[in-house]
Amino acid sequence: MVGRLGSAGVICDAKVRRAMLAVERHLFLPDSMREVAYIDRPLDIGHGQTISAPHMVAIMASMLDLSPGMRVLEVGGGSGYHAAVMAELVRPGGKVFSIERIEGLARTAKANLARSGHDDVVQVLIGDGSKGLPEEAPFDRISVAAAAPDVPEPLIEQLADGGMLLIPVGGALSQELMMIRKVGGKIIKKKVCGVMFVPLVGEHGHNV
Ligand code: SAH
């Protein structure tokens, strides 16, 4: 699968290619879905949610330019797969805090990350990630895997200077992936491309 994504030009970055090869996606899915684990598609993980498509994980990880030692906040942990790929890139010395609002998914993500050997880098938390995680801020990078109506203010506040935040913004039918950078205290927002994510539900997200 990683080879096919490479040939299609989705993975140009050698360190992201290594990270994608190091994480076994089938470990983040129920055993019954092992057959389809290496198809480049989002897949159902229960509770009406999906594991992100591998090409989207690769694109977001490349854009965030992750490197060893970074502190990363992930909002929308889902299965834990995307967090594991980021963990490969911030090792050694880095940390990924992954917030998931659905308790059942957070518990499964924790077990998946232990099976795949990424629980030393990724800490899974249950809660509303639209408010960020003020007690662990600031973050060098913030990666949001669910679409918000607007960029949540707390996430901008919790970004370190020089940091980057990647977030899908929009409603059920049309969303744009946005890149937000904080440079010398100034906020620079840029549209990246059209995307399709499940909604970010919470105080600074969509209503339940
Ligand atoms: N990156 C994940 C997939 C995420 S799907 C993976 O690789 O498996 C998006 C996830 O965001 C869903 O699990 C959903 O429950 C979660 N979510 C939605 N709103 C949230 C919020 N306010 N805080 C935390 N998680 C949220």
Side-chain angles (χ1 to χ4, degrees), residues 15 64-73 86-87 89-97 121 138-141 162-164:
K15 63 184 185 178
L64 282 177
D65 193 20
L66 296 160
S67 53
M70 283 185 172
R71 286 170 68 80
V72 179
L73 174 66
M86 293 196 287
L89 291 158
V90 302
R91 250 181 197 155
K95 185 98 199 156
V96 179
F97 299 91
V121 180
F139 301 100
D140 301 304
R141 302 288 187 264
M164 294 188 216

Side-chain angles (χ1 to χ4, degrees), residues 45 74-83 98-101 105 109 124 145:
I45 51 170
E74 179 187 45
V75 178
S79 66
Y81 172 67
H82 195 160
S98 178
I99 313 189
E100 171 54 55
R101 64 180 279 272
L105 287 179
V124 178

